[in-house]
Amino acid sequence: MERPAVRLGGGGAIKSNAIILVKDEAAIGIGAGQMSRVDSSFLAVHKARQQGHDPSGAVLASDAFFPFRDGVDEAAAAGVTAIIQRGARSGRRGHCGGGRARPGMVLTGMRQFRH
């Protein structure tokens, strides 16, 4: 798995709903500032491919947590192998994926974005 410091370092400099794809210790796709995580996930994958990067095997870092499964599914469909995210606040459950292509998941307990 890519080093967490590489993934989290970029998340603090990007606006909310930031999604960063990291592969070989480099950011290959960034999707940020969207109203939904699935759109941010889609944009990160799209930007990576647009620049000639293959998102298969990449690690996705999210500035917050995934309240719905759709963003995780979008990443899994692109071949993302692991996701690092804040996780849900106490009393609220988020989705960590599921189904056939579930990426590995790391929950940090920290929010990494700025407004």
Side-chain angles (χ1 to χ4, degrees):
M1 184 185 291
E2 298 287 335
R3 291 183 304 159
V6 172
R7 295 184 304 281
L8 291 175
I14 298 169
K15 295 287 187 174
S16 70
N17 280 345
I19 299 289
I20 302 171
L21 290 178
V22 174
K23 191 171 182 180
D24 299 326
E25 296 190 21
I28 63 168
I30 299 172
Q34 302 303 305
M35 294 176 74
S36 74
R37 295 219 164 274
V38 69
D39 289 345
S40 291
S41 295
F42 171 82
L43 281 175
V45 169
H46 173 73
K47 291 294 186 180
R49 288 179 174 151
Q50 186 179 49
Q51 296 302 313
H53 299 289
D54 179 6
S56 294
V59 174
L60 181 150
S62 172
D63 68 336
F65 81 109
F66 286 93
F68 306 106
R69 195 177 133 174
D70 53 2
V72 174
D73 290 344
E74 182 74 32
V80 167
T81 57
I83 295 175
I84 185 169
Q85 63 166 312
R86 175 189 189 268
R89 284 179 263 169
S90 61
R92 185 167 181 199
R93 291 186 47 124
H95 289 275
C96 293
R100 294 176 295 201
R102 180 179 175 179
M105 193 71 59
V106 175
L107 304 178
T108 67
M110 299 181 308
R111 189 107 193 222
Q112 294 293 325
F113 80 98
R114 65 185 180 93
H115 277 284

